Amino acid sequence: MIIIKGNNPRKIDKIWELVKKDHTGKKIAIIGYPGAIPHNFIRAKQMPAYETMTKQNTLDNLTRFLRETKDRFEAIIFYIDCESHLIESIKEVTKSYKEQFILTVYDEKVYEQVVNGE
């Protein structure tokens, strides 16, 4: 799992840099909270976007999404700016899947930092 920490509201640009190194972009999904995904950017890259997450049930929503989309994507981007305490739980949920995962994490002290969270 690659983790992008920081308070930069345009972390999507850094995500795309990472994605295009390893993937064509055609089998990449982005999942987030309603209204939080920058759709103009996603449409330009032709990536499917799912705004099915809720802040109250993030882990349950994530588990359901992964179950329903198993083996459909090469990589999945969690554009959720989650709090640091959720990182380990999200890693646990995703560890049995073969897809590459990219997670955005809100960190007030850092503008933008890429961390290999494996």
Side-chain angles (χ1 to χ4, degrees), residues 5 9 25 29 37 39 41 49 57 59 67 80 96 112 117:
K5 287 184 171 188
I37 298 174
H39 283 283
F41 186 88
N57 296 312
L59 293 175
R67 218 177 22 247
I80 58 175
S96 64
E112 187 174 272

Side-chain angles (χ1 to χ4, degrees), residues 84-96:
S84 295
H85 72 275
L86 284 176
I87 295 172
E88 291 305 316
S89 299
I90 291 172
K91 281 186 192 178
E92 187 66 29
V93 168
T94 61
K95 76 178 182 181
S96 64

Side-chain angles (χ1 to χ4, degrees), residues 27 66-74 97-99:
K27 295 198 123 204
L66 292 174
R67 218 177 22 247
E68 291 171 0
T69 61
K70 187 171 174 74
D71 298 327
R72 283 184 40 204
F73 302 105
E74 294 174 0
Y97 292 87
K98 64 179 181 169
E99 294 86 354

Side-chain angles (χ1 to χ4, degrees), residues 38-56:
H39 283 283
N40 56 346
F41 186 88
I42 300 307
R43 263 186 246 124
K45 305 301 184 212
Q46 297 182 346
M47 296 166 56
Y50 302 88
E51 293 185 318
T52 58
M53 302 291 282
T54 60
K55 292 186 181 197
Q56 296 82 10

